[in-house]
Amino acid sequence: MDVSFLGGPQPQRGVGVVAPFDFALDRELWRWVPDKVSLHLTRTPFVPVEVSLDLARLVSEHETLHEAVRALCAIAPEVVAYACTSGSFVGGVAGERAMCAAMTQAGEMPSLTTSGALLEALQEIGARRIAVVTPYTKSVTDSLEEYLGEAGITVTGRAYLGLTSHIWKVPYRDVVDMARQAVVGAADALFISCTNLPTYDVIPQLEAELRMPVLSANQVTMWAALRAMGERAVGPYQALLDLAARRGPAGMEGPAGMADSAGLAGMAGVAGLAGPGSPMIDPADPVAGAINHLVGPVEPVVIPSVPLADPAPSVAMPEPEAALAGSPQAPDGEPGDGLDSAFGSGMGDAPYRDESGGTPPAM
């Protein structure tokens, strides 16, 4: 076939992604990326440490990031993203900014991290009080809350799994259970932490059920990276990415004229996100280069102990990546867990831990 009339191959724009060595969700990242953009991933060197604060520090050392970014320079991406939530919040706001500076210096290109992207996304939707879901242990979850508090974000409730490995195997139903436990009080949004936790298909239904924007680590990373190069992330019915979704269930009773996802702030006064009387964002106040005119650090909020719901009876599940493409059926032909068919499933251990702690399952 003669394709000369098409003008030859079209140039492909690129995003460089530095991921931890145990990152298993490459395919999920691609789901947020438009066809004309390519992802180029590299991983940090393997270290024999379980998911913990120690691992977060090891995979985010500046020398490690420098080498990873230099490896990506061969394909000349337009922006580099460090796709690790814990690795980018473990040093606090100042640590995250220093990581971005180190990556920018190594590759001479714009750089960002998942935790920095989270602050930008919270600014975008005008959220300053959030519920948090993590697969982490208590100590790592505490560190995330400290990072958010330093940036002026109040954590209204949280739920976590206490896992130290195989996070990518957590099924969607467990993410949903944790979300329901975490959303207590007057939260503006929900954040699902960890780039190794599958979330793409679960976001729209959680937004419809909880009636608030739902952000996830991989979502905000791809949104920020693509926005930095003037592109839009692909995420139908996700409030951060889809203006129609912001005017739908996730927008609560808010008016339709909300800021668009190209990056206009100033939505803090929209009903259902920040509530009446909330101060508007002041762009002159540089807090971490992302969140502006925010309240000072707050005391952590500890929710009462409420056991997470027991999982549905186990059935044979596909591998995580295949599960993201659709929802498997139970042997009788009906959805196996009562969730919307858009969910998919994933595989792994059930949630066993909320704010009260507990005994981890055998891994």
Side-chain angles (χ1 to χ4, degrees), residues 53-147:
L53 290 175
D54 287 339
L55 178 62
R57 295 184 184 102
L58 286 171
V59 297
S60 60
E61 291 179 343
H62 287 192
E63 182 178 350
T64 299
L65 295 177
H66 184 277
E67 293 303 314
V69 173
R70 292 296 298 168
L72 289 169
C73 286
I75 43 84
E78 296 179 44
V79 62
V80 172
Y82 178 49
C84 180
T85 324
S86 61
S88 53
F89 67 60
V90 69
V93 170
E96 190 277 332
R97 295 174 68 180
M99 292 174 64
C100 289
M103 291 191 296
T104 298
Q105 182 179 29
E108 298 183 350
M109 68 188 77
S111 302
L112 58 94
T113 74
T114 297
S115 295
L118 168 61
L119 298 186
E120 293 181 14
L122 291 174
Q123 173 181 308
E124 169 75 5
I125 62 173
R128 292 166 54 178
R129 295 173 55 83
I130 68 171
V132 169
V133 164
T134 88
Y136 311 134
T137 60
K138 182 179 185 298
S139 61
V140 181
T141 305
D142 288 344
S143 183
L144 170 59
E145 188 166 345
E146 291 165 4
Y147 171 81

Side-chain angles (χ1 to χ4, degrees), residues 27 31 171-173 176 201-202 205 315-347:
R27 182 174 180 270
R31 299 182 73 184
Y172 277 149
R173 68 175 67 92
V176 173
D201 292 311
V202 84
Q205 183 146 339
V315 295
M317 297 294 182
E319 290 299 313
E321 290 191 352
L324 291 173
S327 178
Q329 302 294 307
D332 60 1
E334 296 297 326
D337 54 16
L339 298 178
D340 188 285
S341 60
F343 269 159
S345 176
M347 59 181 290

Side-chain angles (χ1 to χ4, degrees), residues 1 8 11-12 55 78-79 123 125 145 150 209 219 221 229 265 275 281 283 309-310 330 333 351 357:
M1 176 180 177
Q12 189 85 3
L55 178 62
E78 296 179 44
V79 62
Q123 173 181 308
I125 62 173
E145 188 166 345
E150 187 180 349
E209 176 182 336
Q219 179 205 48
T221 304
M229 54 193 290
I281 296 170
D310 291 333

Side-chain angles (χ1 to χ4, degrees), residues 260-294:
D260 74 26
S261 59
L264 298 179
M267 300 195 309
V270 176
L273 289 179
S278 297
M280 301 296 283
I281 296 170
D282 179 6
D285 185 7
V287 179
I291 292 294
N292 305 323
H293 195 66
L294 297 172

